[in-house]
Amino acid sequence: MPVDSVASAVTEQAAGESHGSQVKNPELIISSCEEFLSPKRLKASEGLPEDSESVVEETDVEYINGYLAKMHSGAGLQCQVMEGKGRTLTSKKHHEIGDVIFVEPPLHIVCEEAGDPDFEEIKKLCDVEGDMDYDPLWYWCALRSLTDADLPSNSRITTVAAEVQRRLLLLHRPETTEISESVDRVAKACGLEGKEELLEDLLQVWIHNCFEYQETPTGYSTYFAPAFMSHSCLPNADWVNDPEGNFVLKSRMVINEGDEICVSYLSEEALLDCTKTRVDDLDSTKGFACTCPRCVADVDPSRVFACPSCSLGEVTFPSQAPLMSEGEEAIGSFDDFPSCSTCGRELTRDGFKACLRIESRIGNILESLEAKPISRHNAGEFLSSMEVEQLQRLSQLGTHDKHGLSAKLLHILVDYYVFTKEYSEAIKCIDIYLDFCERVYDGLNGARSWALEEKGDILLEMATYEILIERNSSKFSGFSSQSIRRMFFYGTFAEDEIGKLASSRILETYEKAAEELKLLFGDWHEYHTKVHEKIIKECVFVLPLVALVLPVLPTAKEIVPAFNLGRHNVDTAPLFT
């Protein structure tokens, strides 16, 4: 998995579960593997099994399965060779959604080492030559993956154990047919003549398998077992990093015995892109054509247009329908035109091109908007009411609310409507986006969960603002979102106001988001804990009052008794004293 495919990787707070059961001390999972591999933060791994030589002599798949049996004995994993994919990981046991399948420490970690003479030499080489293929850290990763036997006796470069290098070279890489000029220069600069092919192999291993490890100083890491997981645009597993850099693999769908374990090389948001965009992205950045069930489906549910003929029905594009950006030749050679779901008429070539033009126009506008720092605090500075009205019309003109670009456009407009306190419009837009997420992606998705959390924020702000306006419209109409939320948490409310807050679905929405984020990332991850804190705060500031006048949601009853129900004054009172 290339490093750019994991730019959306999240930093975890603590390890949670393993093999479907709660783990109180995640270090115990890792320590049980130290006899086989004992990586240390920012240093080469040195722990080797006593029978390492005999293991290395086995075939690759047998070696990998031996590693899995020792490293992840309870995970039920098996390496198999699949036609068209190569080595893959298959589950030999059942996993429920949210189970932690395994926790694995890094195989090797390499970071920039400012001041190190050899690293500075590589930086200087890249600066002077100017036409080197990659940044200095990539070559440094390859150099830091050499063994004592590979380097001259006077070399100062920190080496790795032979077994670590063996595992690195087992990871996927393109076959080396020739040595690049850049690697040749690095070898000469470091006195490694004769090791050019090995350096090229190690360089490609890092390029195709590394993960972002840390930002300052920039560091990359590689993992052994995770490197054999294939990509799917409908993955049944998800991964996160804990604070120590360990790879935590979780199931995001039910995994049955015999199922291949797949993760996504794309971000959560990118999984919602249309098929053509996903396929082209993976081909250009990862070098393969995705053949997952979503990419080989007949139709693309994220490219739904209003029928140009009747304007009442929908036209859903085939998955392989070209984009406008592919050029006239690709568009002209395509003839698999869809039919309207209502009038039954097949789309003409002119109608097909018209849909592509509208789609392209919305895409260009989206790129422009996404490049701006638009938020609910400043949306009015970037968009006028007239522009928003035009964008609303454009989102419906020819594309319908079910088109992915239209849904994304409306999601951006949410910030504008919150800024202008048109909360009903904001909720309408975010509901369209949530409906789109559910329709095009069958399973847990982080983008949908984050949108649910956002909806909870808007519901909270809307309910509080309506109460404030009823009290004194002239005083509160100009308040910012931040001020309104502060009033929610620090104000006091009358009984009828409490009822309004309780019936606003705030808690219900937060709880749904929290449950999904818990399954995806773990109950210890910041994405989940952040929403959970909002639930706790609502129980502290609102539900103790609601408990006096209205039934409390069952899930909240476990939390409410922990707080003093008499801490609030239920009489009408100023929000600030």
Side-chain angles (χ1 to χ4, degrees), residues 16-49:
E17 302 173 334
S18 178
H19 318 319
S21 59
Q22 188 69 28
V23 173
K24 296 182 179 179
N25 188 355
E27 288 76 13
L28 295 179
I29 305 172
I30 299 168
S31 63
S32 65
C33 310
E34 288 182 349
E35 64 175 88
F36 203 73
L37 178 64
S38 180
K40 298 179 181 179
R41 188 175 177 87
L42 305 183
K43 293 184 179 180
S45 306
E46 297 179 356
L48 300 175

Side-chain angles (χ1 to χ4, degrees), residues 7-210:
S8 61
V10 288
T11 301
E12 311 310 326
Q13 302 302 309
E17 302 173 334
S18 178
H19 318 319
S21 59
Q22 188 69 28
V23 173
K24 296 182 179 179
N25 188 355
E27 288 76 13
L28 295 179
I29 305 172
I30 299 168
S31 63
S32 65
C33 310
E34 288 182 349
E35 64 175 88
F36 203 73
L37 178 64
S38 180
K40 298 179 181 179
R41 188 175 177 87
L42 305 183
K43 293 184 179 180
S45 306
E46 297 179 356
L48 300 175
E50 294 180 0
D51 59 344
S52 60
E53 291 186 5
S54 62
V55 174
V56 173
E57 292 174 357
E58 297 173 354
T59 64
D60 290 353
V61 172
E62 289 175 338
Y63 175 81
I64 295 166
N65 282 325
Y67 173 92
L68 294 173
K70 283 195 173 185
M71 187 73 167
H72 306 300
S73 58
L77 300 174
Q78 183 177 12
C79 179
Q80 294 181 337
V81 177
M82 290 190 178
E83 186 177 354
K85 286 189 174 183
R87 295 162 300 181
T88 61
L89 287 188
T90 301
S91 178
K92 296 192 295 182
K93 62 183 293 186
H94 178 87
H95 293 283
E96 291 293 334
I97 299 175
D99 284 356
V100 172
I101 301 172
F102 68 72
V103 178
E104 177 167 305
L107 170 62
H108 192 24
I109 304 164
V110 179
C111 298
E112 293 179 335
E113 298 183 43
D116 182 282
D118 295 293
F119 180 68
E120 294 297 333
E121 182 67 25
I122 299 301
K123 285 180 62 179
K124 181 179 177 181
L125 182 66
C126 291
D127 292 339
V128 172
E129 297 293 342
D131 59 347
M132 298 287 281
D133 296 329
Y134 304 103
D135 292 333
L137 182 54
W138 293 108
Y139 301 105
W140 189 236
C141 287
L143 289 168
R144 285 287 313 276
S145 302
L146 296 171
T147 66
D148 287 339
D150 300 324
L151 294 170
S153 58
N154 61 346
S155 175
R156 297 161 299 190
I157 297 175
T158 303
T159 59
V160 298
E163 187 72 3
V164 173
Q165 187 186 91
R166 159 69 171 164
R167 292 183 191 140
L168 286 170
L169 292 173
L170 278 173
L171 305 185
H172 168 73
R173 67 182 187 277
E175 183 179 356
T176 300
T177 56
E178 60 180 351
I179 309 302
S180 65
E181 291 185 13
S182 298
V183 167
D184 191 54
R185 293 170 187 165
V186 170
K188 289 179 180 178
C190 297
L192 294 174
E193 288 84 351
K195 296 295 181 181
E196 292 86 354
E197 184 174 351
L198 177 59
L199 273 178
E200 186 72 53
D201 286 342
L202 290 169
L203 174 65
Q204 295 303 319
V205 163
W206 280 93
I207 289 172
H208 288 84
N209 296 277
C210 89

